[in-house]
Amino acid sequence: EWLSIESKENKPKGRSYHSSCSLGTKVFVFGGCSPSGRLNDLLCFDTESQEWELLHSGLTSNGSVDETTPTAR
C-alpha cells in the first residue's frame, strides 16, 4: 500500500534522472535534473521520523558548483 508522506522541512526540489538507494530506515537521493538545471546534491530521508536532511548541497559557500564533489553519472 502506498502512503503519501508530508514532510515539513528541507523538502527537496522535484527532480528526474536522480539516483537513490536505501539503507535501513534511510533513503538517499543524489543529483538529478530540475526545471532549473542539473542537481549535484545529496539528501537523506529518514523513514521513521519522516524528515529530510540535506547532506551536501553540491555548492560552495558563494553559490558556485563545488568542483571537489563528484558529479552525477
Side-chain angles (χ1 to χ4, degrees):
E1 177 180 338
W2 289 93
L3 300 174
S4 179
I5 297 171
E6 293 297 325
S7 180
K8 296 178 181 126
E9 296 182 22
N10 300 322
K11 190 174 178 182
K13 295 179 181 180
R15 61 190 67 212
S16 59
Y17 303 103
H18 57 281
S19 298
S20 63
C21 67
S22 63
L23 179 63
T25 61
K26 310 283 186 179
V27 178
F28 298 90
V29 177
F30 175 70
C33 292
S34 73
S36 61
R38 292 183 180 169
L39 301 168
N40 197 33
D41 54 357
L42 178 63
L43 300 113
C44 177
F45 183 74
D46 185 316
T47 60
E48 291 181 332
S49 67
Q50 297 187 355
E51 293 181 357
W52 284 98
E53 179 182 1
L54 177 63
L55 301 177
H56 184 69
S57 70
L59 302 173
T60 62
S61 59
N62 67 5
S64 62
V65 175
D66 183 355
E67 298 294 335
T68 64
T69 304
T71 57
R73 304 283 189 265

